[in-house]
């Protein structure tokens, strides 16, 4: 995945400015002087997902903000982002955020408690393997400046942090990671970081959290190991896809796993 060119950055900006419009593919492509066919290829190559999938992701991200910052009902929020069917909106939101719209709204009350519980953990799982075993993906996540908090890192099926990761974990600050028993397939390594003391709404709607994504897909072959990955976290960029997956949900899953060990 190459760095976005000025034309694609302008397309992203155009989409963000006009999210309330229908945003047909030919309109976006025409705005930056491309045919729809070539625009889709260029956008997907540079952003990782198709233009209309990117539009859909931004609209679900808007729905998340409306759930947290307004008292609008779920049906009205679906209509606000262009979903006429309540059932379709609820299904898509649940698949890509990890929880239903109602549960997402309710999770604001417990989000900070999950982060505080993580900060109180006395022992974190070992993240470094002496020799990476077969069917594993391992590496290191680092921040460009001193960071104190929790890093959420996972292997996703698409180059956008949505839905539960196929394999994921939490790290206490910059650290090594190792995913075991990774099935053959193609994965995308994505991560974000939440500082200790951050307010619940700020990571329920992670607009400003550090994030990182490996530019190339990870192809896991049978009886192989992918090692030595270095993922650098950075402040949000304009062309970053929104983080749709509920971070409090991932925190809670991690905490439950530690209690069961």
């Amino acid at each position: 995945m190459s760095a976005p060119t000025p034309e694609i950055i302008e397309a992203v900006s155009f989409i963000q400015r006009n999210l309330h419009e229908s945003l047909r593919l030919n309109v976006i492509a025409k705005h930056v002087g491309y045919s729809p066919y070539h625009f889709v290829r260029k956008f997907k190559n540079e952003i990782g997902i198709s233009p209309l999938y990117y539009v859909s992701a931004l609209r679900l991200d808007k729905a998340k903000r409306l759930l947290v910052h307004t008292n609008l009902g779920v049906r009205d929020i679906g209509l606000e982002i262009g979903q006429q069917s309540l059932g379709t909106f609820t299904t898509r939101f649940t698949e890509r955020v990890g929880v239903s719209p109602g549960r997402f709204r309710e999770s604001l009350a417990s989000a900070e408690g999950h982060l505080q519980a993580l900060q109180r953990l006395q022992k974190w799982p070992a993240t470094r393997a002496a020799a990476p075993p077969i069917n594993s993906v391992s590496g290191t996540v680092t921040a460009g400046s001193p960071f104190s908090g929790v890093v959420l890192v996972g292997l996703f099926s698409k180059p956008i942090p949505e839905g539960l990761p196929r394999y994921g974990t939490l790290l206490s600050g910059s650290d090594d990671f190792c995913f075991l028993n990774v099935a053959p397939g193609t994965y995308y390594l994505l991560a974000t970081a939440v500082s200790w003391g951050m307010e619940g709404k700020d990571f329920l709607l992670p607009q400003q959290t550090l994030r990182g994504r490996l530019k190339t897909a990870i192809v896991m072959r049978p009886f192989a190991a992918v090692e030595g990955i270095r993922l650098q976290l950075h402040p949000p960029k304009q062309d970053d896809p929104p983080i749709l997956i509920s971070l409090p949900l991932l925190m809670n899953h991690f905490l439950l796993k530690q209690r069961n060990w």
Side-chain angles (χ1 to χ4, degrees):
M1 192 187 305
S2 58
T5 55
E7 296 91 344
I8 295 303
I9 290 294
E10 174 54 32
V12 166
S13 179
F14 179 78
I15 290 169
Q16 292 171 348
R17 294 194 308 267
N18 295 278
L19 201 57
H20 57 285
E21 302 289 348
S22 60
L23 285 175
R24 295 188 304 275
L25 178 60
N26 63 323
V27 173
I28 307 171
K30 182 179 179 181
H31 178 75
V32 291
Y34 281 90
S35 71
Y37 174 76
H38 287 98
F39 174 65
V40 169
R41 291 184 60 189
K42 186 172 179 62
F43 191 98
K44 191 170 183 178
N45 180 58
E46 298 183 22
I47 301 299
I49 53 179
S50 72
L52 295 185
Y53 201 89
Y54 181 77
V55 170
S56 173
L58 287 182
R59 286 178 172 157
L60 284 175
D61 193 52
K62 178 180 178 180
K64 290 171 61 178
R65 295 197 304 273
L66 291 172
L67 284 164
V68 171
H69 291 306
T70 76
N71 293 320
L72 287 173
V74 172
R75 179 182 294 277
D76 291 332
I77 289 175
L79 292 172
E80 188 73 21
I81 68 165
Q83 285 288 347
Q84 300 298 319
S85 166
L86 174 61
T88 300
F89 168 58
T90 300
T91 298
R92 289 183 180 173
F93 188 99
T94 303
E95 287 176 349
R96 299 173 69 179
V97 178
V99 293
S100 69
R103 285 191 60 194
F104 181 82
R105 174 174 269 166
E106 293 169 358
S107 67
L108 178 59
S110 57
E112 289 181 25
H114 294 329
L115 184 61
Q116 292 163 5
L118 288 169
Q119 190 172 14
R120 291 193 299 267
L121 275 182
Q122 298 297 314
K123 185 178 180 181
W124 288 68
T127 57
R128 181 176 302 175
I134 61 172
N135 302 328
S136 68
V137 175
S138 60
T140 304
V141 179
T142 60
S145 56
F147 170 77
S148 180
V150 61
V151 175
L152 303 93
V153 58
L155 295 176
F156 291 80
S157 299
K158 296 178 181 177
I160 176 173
E162 64 172 31
L164 291 172
R166 292 284 303 278
Y167 305 89
T169 191
L170 273 62
L171 309 174
S172 180
S174 299
D175 203 350
D176 298 328
F177 66 89
C178 184
F179 300 123
L180 303 174
N181 303 315
V182 178
T186 300
Y187 303 95
Y188 299 89
L189 183 67
L190 303 160
T192 191
V194 177
S195 302
W196 302 132
M198 184 174 279
E199 293 185 10
K201 64 180 180 180
D202 292 330
F203 60 88
L204 197 61
L205 303 172
Q207 308 294 321
Q208 300 301 321
T209 58
L210 297 175
R211 71 273 319 270
R213 53 175 173 156
L214 204 61
K215 291 187 176 181
T216 56
I218 294 172
V219 179
M220 172 58 68
R221 295 182 171 84
F223 311 110
V226 177
E227 55 185 304
I229 296 170
R230 294 191 65 84
L231 185 63
Q232 178 77 51
L233 300 176
H234 59 75
K237 301 175 183 176
Q238 183 183 10
D239 58 290
D240 285 331
I243 298 172
L244 292 181
I245 181 63
S246 166
L247 300 188
L249 174 67
L250 297 183
M251 292 176 178
N252 190 45
H253 281 194
F254 182 85
L255 288 166
L256 289 174
K257 187 182 296 185
Q258 306 320 305
R259 291 168 188 153
N260 292 331
W261 281 356

